[in-house]
Amino acid sequence: MKGDQKHSLIRNIAIAFAATGGTSFRGADLTNANFTQATLKSTDFRKAILICSCWHQAKMLDRVRPGSTYLQSSQVGQLLVTGQGQDKNFDREKLRGVNLKEANLADASFIGTDLSEANLQNADLSRAKLKQTQLDGTNLTGATLTGAYIEDWGITNTTKLDGVSCEYVFMRLPTKVDPDPLRKPDNKQEVFADGDFANFIQPIFDTLDLYHNQGVDPRAVAIAFKNLAENHPEAELEIVAMEKRGDDKILLRAKTAAGSDKSQLSAEYFDDYNQLKALSQSQQLLLVEKDKRIISLENMVDTALKQSKFYTQGDTNMSDISGINIQGSSNVSGIAGGSSVANLGTISGNVSIALNELPDSPEADKPGIKELLTQLHEAISQSSDLPETDKADALLQVEALAEAAKNPQESTKQKTAKNAIIMLKGLFSGLPAIASLVEAANKLLPAIAKLFGLA
């Protein structure tokens, strides 16, 4: 009974024997049941539904027969009783539906943990590691998230974030080299005002995030996503972004219709993807044949793996994916390759050279493509809101637009311009609406698109 793992089998047998004469809640629906200060020795909770059940100060919770419920973990049981989980590791635990209202979870780790449908009202999650944590239907009302690491966390439109207290978050886990990775807001002197965090995170509520973390197979991705879209037309799947993560990892983000079961869609996609990935190249080719939609998406994924970021907007619905022009070279349709802060000055200089090669506007009082791109170049260069790595990517897009502007009516140049404008919009999407760069882009990008015949 002291918890020695050597005697775990005997312990389980003893508890099962004792529970024979104890209270049985086997198979019972105990949603929102309150067991505060209850004595629970020899109680049977096998197959019980324990969503948001309260266990605060319950006695002898370690003597119950838990079955496969979250009560089988002694560490979780201790957390539920005391509400103290500071600095503890709960990585990959199955904690769906736990009640951690007002719990102290500061600096705790929940990497890959399922906290869907959990009650985390007013919980302290300061600096908590929430990487790939599933939070579908989770109640975070009034919770504190300041300093939390939210890399690829799984919030949905049913996640409650009302009244969340959050001054700043980090979009990646910390490393020795970078202890404060991708802080939001970017300016370390700024913090989110009341209610701003929920507004900041809102745009990704209705997306299906498909994270690939091992040896990505672009063709398998393309086929699996096409199959998913065709099997679930009601989900209205539409790819909105791809991001390279590390050397061989990628996040594919797709917009979904309201109410779509993202958990089911994700499970079905990865089941199909893993099967396709195991096929030989020749077997995959038989599935692809001459399907331009699959070929286009395959090229997109291949491109994203070679670039730092890739955003799309509206053209990636599987009903018309053949309209995407991605070729897979080092500089694809105006999509910038990886860049670094070190070559920012060089990139800016190249943009100036490209702009100088363009003709001046024939009308002195009406700016042409050269004048508009020059204004955009200056706005990006002078921006204090855009991180320098993103600034380098943005300048590469301006350079691509300048090259395309030499033959703005040519169809391939128009496609280059279109992709560059989409990329710029993606890079600016995370900036505050009042940022001077956003205000400039909102005026300049539509005018530039119009001159390319893209309005």
Side-chain angles (χ1 to χ4, degrees), residues 316-336:
T316 50
N317 190 300
M318 288 307 296
S319 63
D320 189 31
I321 201 166
S322 58
I324 303 168
N325 182 33
I326 308 292
Q327 303 298 328
S329 63
S330 59
N331 185 10
V332 183
S333 299
I335 297 171

PDB file of all heavy atoms in Angstrom, residues 316-336:
ATOM      1  N   THR A 316      -6.735  26.816 -52.199  1.00  0.00           N
ATOM      2  CA  THR A 316      -6.311  25.460 -51.897  1.00  0.00           C
ATOM      3  C   THR A 316      -7.466  24.526 -51.559  1.00  0.00           C
ATOM      4  O   THR A 316      -7.264  23.462 -51.050  1.00  0.00           O
ATOM      5  CB  THR A 316      -5.326  25.471 -50.724  1.00  0.00           C
ATOM      6  OG1 THR A 316      -5.880  26.243 -49.666  1.00  0.00           O
ATOM      7  CG2 THR A 316      -4.022  26.075 -51.149  1.00  0.00           C
ATOM      8  N   ASN A 317      -8.686  24.943 -51.835  1.00  0.00           N
ATOM      9  CA  ASN A 317      -9.816  24.045 -51.661  1.00  0.00           C
ATOM     10  C   ASN A 317      -9.637  22.878 -52.627  1.00  0.00           C
ATOM     11  O   ASN A 317      -9.302  23.071 -53.792  1.00  0.00           O
ATOM     12  CB  ASN A 317     -11.125  24.791 -51.958  1.00  0.00           C
ATOM     13  CG  ASN A 317     -12.341  23.984 -51.551  1.00  0.00           C
ATOM     14  OD1 ASN A 317     -12.547  22.892 -52.049  1.00  0.00           O
ATOM     15  ND2 ASN A 317     -13.120  24.537 -50.654  1.00  0.00           N
ATOM     16  N   MET A 318      -9.863  21.677 -52.170  1.00  0.00           N
ATOM     17  CA  MET A 318      -9.570  20.510 -52.992  1.00  0.00           C
ATOM     18  C   MET A 318     -10.414  20.448 -54.254  1.00  0.00           C
ATOM     19  O   MET A 318     -10.135  19.691 -55.164  1.00  0.00           O
ATOM     20  CB  MET A 318      -9.755  19.229 -52.181  1.00  0.00           C
ATOM     21  CG  MET A 318      -8.676  19.002 -51.137  1.00  0.00           C
ATOM     22  SD  MET A 318      -7.004  19.060 -51.777  1.00  0.00           S
ATOM     23  CE  MET A 318      -7.032  17.663 -52.888  1.00  0.00           C
ATOM     24  N   SER A 319     -11.475  21.269 -54.339  1.00  0.00           N
ATOM     25  CA  SER A 319     -12.282  21.253 -55.552  1.00  0.00           C
ATOM     26  C   SER A 319     -11.574  21.962 -56.700  1.00  0.00           C
ATOM     27  O   SER A 319     -11.905  21.785 -57.853  1.00  0.00           O
ATOM     28  CB  SER A 319     -13.632  21.934 -55.295  1.00  0.00           C
ATOM     29  OG  SER A 319     -13.425  23.296 -54.971  1.00  0.00           O
ATOM     30  N   ASP A 320     -10.552  22.794 -56.376  1.00  0.00           N
ATOM     31  CA  ASP A 320      -9.880  23.553 -57.428  1.00  0.00           C
ATOM     32  C   ASP A 320      -8.405  23.738 -57.117  1.00  0.00           C
ATOM     33  O   ASP A 320      -7.834  24.794 -57.339  1.00  0.00           O
ATOM     34  CB  ASP A 320     -10.554  24.921 -57.594  1.00  0.00           C
ATOM     35  CG  ASP A 320     -10.034  25.674 -58.815  1.00  0.00           C
ATOM     36  OD1 ASP A 320      -9.654  25.004 -59.791  1.00  0.00           O
ATOM     37  OD2 ASP A 320      -9.987  26.916 -58.774  1.00  0.00           O
ATOM     38  N   ILE A 321      -7.787  22.698 -56.596  1.00  0.00           N
ATOM     39  CA  ILE A 321      -6.392  22.841 -56.181  1.00  0.00           C
ATOM     40  C   ILE A 321      -5.452  22.911 -57.370  1.00  0.00           C
ATOM     41  O   ILE A 321      -4.314  23.319 -57.268  1.00  0.00           O
ATOM     42  CB  ILE A 321      -5.995  21.686 -55.238  1.00  0.00           C
ATOM     43  CG1 ILE A 321      -4.769  22.094 -54.419  1.00  0.00           C
ATOM     44  CG2 ILE A 321      -5.726  20.416 -55.995  1.00  0.00           C
ATOM     45  CD1 ILE A 321      -4.521  21.188 -53.256  1.00  0.00           C
ATOM     46  N   SER A 322      -5.955  22.536 -58.570  1.00  0.00           N
ATOM     47  CA  SER A 322      -5.097  22.578 -59.745  1.00  0.00           C
ATOM     48  C   SER A 322      -4.726  23.996 -60.127  1.00  0.00           C
ATOM     49  O   SER A 322      -3.846  24.224 -60.936  1.00  0.00           O
ATOM     50  CB  SER A 322      -5.807  21.908 -60.934  1.00  0.00           C
ATOM     51  OG  SER A 322      -7.039  22.552 -61.188  1.00  0.00           O
ATOM     52  N   GLY A 323      -5.387  24.984 -59.553  1.00  0.00           N
ATOM     53  CA  GLY A 323      -5.084  26.368 -59.867  1.00  0.00           C
ATOM     54  C   GLY A 323      -3.821  26.869 -59.207  1.00  0.00           C
ATOM     55  O   GLY A 323      -3.360  27.968 -59.497  1.00  0.00           O
ATOM     56  N   ILE A 324      -3.213  26.111 -58.317  1.00  0.00           N
ATOM     57  CA  ILE A 324      -2.010  26.549 -57.615  1.00  0.00           C
ATOM     58  C   ILE A 324      -0.795  26.299 -58.500  1.00  0.00           C
ATOM     59  O   ILE A 324      -0.646  25.231 -59.086  1.00  0.00           O
ATOM     60  CB  ILE A 324      -1.849  25.795 -56.288  1.00  0.00           C
ATOM     61  CG1 ILE A 324      -3.093  26.014 -55.447  1.00  0.00           C
ATOM     62  CG2 ILE A 324      -0.616  26.237 -55.536  1.00  0.00           C
ATOM     63  CD1 ILE A 324      -3.153  25.109 -54.268  1.00  0.00           C
ATOM     64  N   ASN A 325       0.072  27.287 -58.591  1.00  0.00           N
ATOM     65  CA  ASN A 325       1.249  27.154 -59.437  1.00  0.00           C
ATOM     66  C   ASN A 325       2.502  27.029 -58.574  1.00  0.00           C
ATOM     67  O   ASN A 325       3.134  28.006 -58.230  1.00  0.00           O
ATOM     68  CB  ASN A 325       1.370  28.373 -60.353  1.00  0.00           C
ATOM     69  CG  ASN A 325       2.561  28.252 -61.289  1.00  0.00           C
ATOM     70  OD1 ASN A 325       2.911  27.171 -61.701  1.00  0.00           O
ATOM     71  ND2 ASN A 325       3.174  29.386 -61.605  1.00  0.00           N
ATOM     72  N   ILE A 326       2.840  25.829 -58.181  1.00  0.00           N
ATOM     73  CA  ILE A 326       4.018  25.558 -57.367  1.00  0.00           C
ATOM     74  C   ILE A 326       4.919  24.595 -58.137  1.00  0.00           C
ATOM     75  O   ILE A 326       4.480  23.541 -58.558  1.00  0.00           O
ATOM     76  CB  ILE A 326       3.634  24.920 -56.011  1.00  0.00           C
ATOM     77  CG1 ILE A 326       2.576  25.759 -55.307  1.00  0.00           C
ATOM     78  CG2 ILE A 326       4.850  24.735 -55.146  1.00  0.00           C
ATOM     79  CD1 ILE A 326       3.073  27.094 -54.839  1.00  0.00           C
ATOM     80  N   GLN A 327       6.170  24.950 -58.327  1.00  0.00           N
ATOM     81  CA  GLN A 327       7.059  24.133 -59.149  1.00  0.00           C
ATOM     82  C   GLN A 327       8.120  23.376 -58.368  1.00  0.00           C
ATOM     83  O   GLN A 327       8.705  22.448 -58.872  1.00  0.00           O
ATOM     84  CB  GLN A 327       7.753  25.026 -60.189  1.00  0.00           C
ATOM     85  CG  GLN A 327       6.775  25.781 -61.084  1.00  0.00           C
ATOM     86  CD  GLN A 327       5.909  24.858 -61.900  1.00  0.00           C
ATOM     87  OE1 GLN A 327       6.338  23.774 -62.274  1.00  0.00           O
ATOM     88  NE2 GLN A 327       4.686  25.265 -62.171  1.00  0.00           N
ATOM     89  N   GLY A 328       8.416  23.804 -57.131  1.00  0.00           N
ATOM     90  CA  GLY A 328       9.361  23.052 -56.308  1.00  0.00           C
ATOM     91  C   GLY A 328      10.816  23.441 -56.466  1.00  0.00           C
ATOM     92  O   GLY A 328      11.690  22.727 -56.036  1.00  0.00           O
ATOM     93  N   SER A 329      11.101  24.587 -57.085  1.00  0.00           N
ATOM     94  CA  SER A 329      12.489  25.019 -57.196  1.00  0.00           C
ATOM     95  C   SER A 329      12.872  25.854 -55.990  1.00  0.00           C
ATOM     96  O   SER A 329      12.084  26.039 -55.079  1.00  0.00           O
ATOM     97  CB  SER A 329      12.673  25.830 -58.485  1.00  0.00           C
ATOM     98  OG  SER A 329      11.889  27.002 -58.426  1.00  0.00           O
ATOM     99  N   SER A 330      14.087  26.405 -55.998  1.00  0.00           N
ATOM    100  CA  SER A 330      14.550  27.145 -54.828  1.00  0.00           C
ATOM    101  C   SER A 330      13.849  28.483 -54.677  1.00  0.00           C
ATOM    102  O   SER A 330      13.825  29.053 -53.607  1.00  0.00           O
ATOM    103  CB  SER A 330      16.063  27.369 -54.916  1.00  0.00           C
ATOM    104  OG  SER A 330      16.371  28.090 -56.094  1.00  0.00           O
ATOM    105  N   ASN A 331      13.284  29.002 -55.758  1.00  0.00           N
ATOM    106  CA  ASN A 331      12.534  30.251 -55.656  1.00  0.00           C
ATOM    107  C   ASN A 331      11.250  30.076 -56.438  1.00  0.00           C
ATOM    108  O   ASN A 331      11.186  30.304 -57.639  1.00  0.00           O
ATOM    109  CB  ASN A 331      13.347  31.416 -56.221  1.00  0.00           C
ATOM    110  CG  ASN A 331      12.649  32.732 -56.007  1.00  0.00           C
ATOM    111  OD1 ASN A 331      11.666  32.807 -55.286  1.00  0.00           O
ATOM    112  ND2 ASN A 331      13.154  33.776 -56.637  1.00  0.00           N
ATOM    113  N   VAL A 332      10.223  29.605 -55.765  1.00  0.00           N
ATOM    114  CA  VAL A 332       9.026  29.121 -56.423  1.00  0.00           C
ATOM    115  C   VAL A 332       7.944  30.177 -56.480  1.00  0.00           C
ATOM    116  O   VAL A 332       7.468  30.642 -55.458  1.00  0.00           O
ATOM    117  CB  VAL A 332       8.475  27.885 -55.672  1.00  0.00           C
ATOM    118  CG1 VAL A 332       7.276  27.335 -56.404  1.00  0.00           C
ATOM    119  CG2 VAL A 332       9.551  26.839 -55.565  1.00  0.00           C
ATOM    120  N   SER A 333       7.561  30.563 -57.674  1.00  0.00           N
ATOM    121  CA  SER A 333       6.439  31.475 -57.855  1.00  0.00           C
ATOM    122  C   SER A 333       6.478  32.645 -56.898  1.00  0.00           C
ATOM    123  O   SER A 333       5.464  33.046 -56.343  1.00  0.00           O
ATOM    124  CB  SER A 333       5.116  30.709 -57.688  1.00  0.00           C
ATOM    125  OG  SER A 333       5.010  29.700 -58.647  1.00  0.00           O
ATOM    126  N   GLY A 334       7.657  33.149 -56.652  1.00  0.00           N
ATOM    127  CA  GLY A 334       7.764  34.313 -55.785  1.00  0.00           C
ATOM    128  C   GLY A 334       7.776  33.986 -54.316  1.00  0.00           C
ATOM    129  O   GLY A 334       7.825  34.874 -53.480  1.00  0.00           O
ATOM    130  N   ILE A 335       7.745  32.719 -53.952  1.00  0.00           N
ATOM    131  CA  ILE A 335       7.760  32.341 -52.537  1.00  0.00           C
ATOM    132  C   ILE A 335       9.203  32.355 -52.053  1.00  0.00           C
ATOM    133  O   ILE A 335      10.073  31.709 -52.624  1.00  0.00           O
ATOM    134  CB  ILE A 335       7.153  30.946 -52.338  1.00  0.00           C
ATOM    135  CG1 ILE A 335       5.687  30.975 -52.774  1.00  0.00           C
ATOM    136  CG2 ILE A 335       7.265  30.512 -50.894  1.00  0.00           C
ATOM    137  CD1 ILE A 335       5.071  29.621 -52.815  1.00  0.00           C
ATOM    138  N   ALA A 336       9.445  33.087 -50.987  1.00  0.00           N
ATOM    139  CA  ALA A 336      10.833  33.283 -50.549  1.00  0.00           C
ATOM    140  C   ALA A 336      11.418  32.035 -49.953  1.00  0.00           C
ATOM    141  O   ALA A 336      10.750  31.278 -49.278  1.00  0.00           O
ATOM    142  CB  ALA A 336      10.890  34.404 -49.514  1.00  0.00           C
TER     143      ALA A 336
END
